[in-house]
Amino acid sequence: MSSSQAGLLPSEAHEPGGLLYSGTGAAFTDETPYEERVWPPGPRWRTFDGGPVQPRPPEDGEADRRLGPPTARRRPPASEVRMVNAAILLRRPLLVSGRPGVGKSTLAYRIARELGLGRVLQWPVTSRTTLASGLFEYDVLGRAQAGQAWFAAQERAAQEEGSGNGAPTSALDIGDFIQLGPLGTALLPHRLPRVLLIDELDKGDADLPNDLLSLFEDGWFAVQPLVRVKRQVDTVTVHTADPGQTASIHNGIIKTRSFPIVIMTSNGEREFPEAFMRRCLRLDIPDPDPEALGELVAAHFGDSLGDEQGRLVRDFMTRSAEVDGLAADQLLNAAHLVTSGAHSYRDEDRAEWHAVLDAIWHPLNGDGADWGA
């Protein structure tokens, strides 16, 4: 695989049509230190200069768990490669649509693993999700309780020792009660972009797309509790969405440096505002064909299924057509049962096997006839 397919390219090496993302599933192997990697420049109007630059983000192995070992290979659709690279170069969010279970969310993990961008920041959206919850959370009640406990301890110590040390400056520890969300962490001034997965955007409040639009255009936001105390303390260390990690915030402002690779998934349950759609790129993922399903099974099970893999995929395709669509992970469930030895896939055991498939290949809408009926 060429360097243009497997990793990052120096800016002077870019030629028209050169790709950053190949979609083959290969893990990032470039040995260039993170601090020396060069990301391709974006449009002048999409350039940001936030700082100070954050350290290299952590890895968590989640991509391998979801995608299979890095040695697994796949043949991606040309539309996927084209639109991911356009989103990277234009610094624009990518709205990924398709039926449930076709692999929309896994795209974020493929990008992060192939380009060596650290763990994916995942923000699942529900009807109660707000922009503020994705940016940061401030435990004001916890801070008040901690302050009361501190004062009580000081008073007890003063009574016992006959002297006190004075009142604390509560602003100095405010960062202990602030945690950045996945969205806020993605907008920190990282040297290379973070991969942010905004999952099932269409389940959110009607105002959420427009709120995101303004944020993505500006590339910065204010952490209001820190803005209010900046005269007392201008730099505060807060917790991030990366487990065990912190970041220092200056004057209460977070401004991005390398705009994140934003993958937003949608099941097509609602329409989005025109202004929002105009500033996004779109990718529709079709139902996987037998070849793609075979690659998916092979990524997780290698050749352990042998000749039964093709048969299992064909049965899955038949069942999926009967019930108006199944999710790919339902195929993986069946493959695991076969490879575990708990169930036989031989002709003489087909009745028992079909009974198992009725349970694991159930229609996503809850309807449908029994398998083999």
Side-chain angles (χ1 to χ4, degrees):
M1 183 183 302
S2 68
S3 61
S4 64
Q5 292 174 316
L8 306 177
L9 297 176
S11 57
E12 65 270 19
H14 277 278
E15 298 176 356
L19 299 181
L20 292 172
Y21 171 76
S22 69
T24 59
F28 184 79
T29 57
D30 192 333
E31 297 181 358
T32 303
Y34 178 86
E35 295 75 17
E36 298 178 12
R37 295 188 208 166
V38 178
W39 194 249
R44 179 182 57 80
W45 56 91
R46 297 291 296 161
T47 300
F48 305 94
D49 59 355
V53 179
Q54 301 296 303
R56 178 174 183 164
E59 300 281 353
D60 63 359
E62 184 67 10
D64 291 348
R65 187 182 73 83
R66 290 173 176 261
L67 305 176
T71 54
R73 292 292 187 268
R74 64 187 292 266
R75 280 166 283 191
S79 58
E80 175 189 309
V81 177
R82 182 186 311 119
M83 296 313 298
V84 168
N85 284 307
I88 290 173
L89 293 170
L90 293 175
R91 309 302 200 258
R92 289 294 181 184
L94 181 62
L95 180 63
V96 184
S97 58
R99 293 204 300 181
V102 297
K104 301 184 295 294
S105 300
T106 57
L107 177 59
Y109 293 89
R110 284 198 291 270
I111 296 170
R113 184 167 75 174
E114 181 179 327
L115 300 182
L117 298 177
R119 67 184 297 270
V120 173
L121 295 163
Q122 185 176 10
W123 187 28
V125 174
T126 70
S127 59
R128 299 179 299 276
T129 298
T130 63
L131 182 70
S133 66
L135 293 175
F136 70 90
E137 292 184 354
Y138 175 39
D139 186 5
V140 62
L141 180 60
R143 187 185 178 206
Q145 292 173 338
Q148 291 174 353
W150 192 92
F151 276 112
Q154 289 294 98
E155 290 178 356
R156 287 195 300 271
Q159 292 172 358
E160 293 174 359
E161 300 178 7
S163 62
N165 296 322
T169 304
S170 58
L172 294 176
D173 61 2
I174 188 174
D176 291 338
F177 302 93
I178 292 178
Q179 168 128 25
L180 300 182
L183 179 57
T185 301
L187 289 172
L188 284 169
H190 296 281
R191 191 178 187 283
L192 301 178
R194 297 297 299 270
V195 178
L196 171 65
L197 171 61
I198 303 179
D199 215 4
E200 298 190 323
L201 179 63
D202 40 9
K203 293 186 180 301
D205 182 83
D207 293 331
L208 183 58
N210 282 329
D211 292 340
L212 285 171
L213 173 62
S214 299
L215 182 70
F216 289 156
E217 287 299 299
D218 297 338
W220 70 274
F221 69 97
V223 182
Q224 289 298 336
L226 301 185
V227 172
R228 288 194 287 268
V229 302
K230 67 180 182 180
R231 291 184 178 180
Q232 290 76 36
V233 54
D234 59 359
T235 301
V236 177
T237 299
V238 302
H239 303 281
T240 73
D242 292 316
Q245 303 295 307
T246 60
S248 295
I249 311 303
H250 186 67
N251 286 336
I253 301 296
I254 291 179
K255 185 177 183 180
T256 193
R257 187 178 186 89
S258 292
F259 189 79
I261 300 173
V262 182
I263 304 298
M264 303 180 294
T265 71
S266 167
N267 292 330
E269 298 177 359
R270 58 177 286 191
E271 296 288 334
F272 295 112
E274 290 185 5
F276 177 78
M277 296 302 299
R278 191 168 62 248
R279 291 169 174 84
C280 296
L281 300 181
R282 300 188 64 179
L283 171 65
D284 183 68
I285 297 183
D287 292 348
D289 58 20
E291 182 181 43
L293 290 173
E295 291 176 350
L296 174 65
V297 173
H300 288 275
F301 299 96
D303 58 0
S304 58
L305 280 164
D307 295 338
E308 293 180 345
Q309 175 174 304
R311 183 178 178 180
L312 185 62
V313 168
R314 287 193 298 273
D315 283 352
F316 178 82
M317 295 289 292
T318 299
R319 177 63 167 169
S320 181
E322 291 176 350
V323 300
D324 196 28
L326 294 174
D329 60 346
Q330 293 174 287
L331 172 60
L332 295 180
N333 289 338
H336 178 72
L337 292 180
V338 173
T339 57
S340 70
H343 295 275
S344 174
Y345 201 40
R346 296 173 301 185
D347 289 336
E348 57 267 29
D349 300 316
R350 295 289 280 176
E352 178 184 352
W353 178 242
H354 284 161
V356 173
L357 291 184
D358 280 336
I360 62 174
W361 285 359
H362 56 82
L364 299 180
N365 59 8
D367 300 325
D370 290 343
W371 172 262

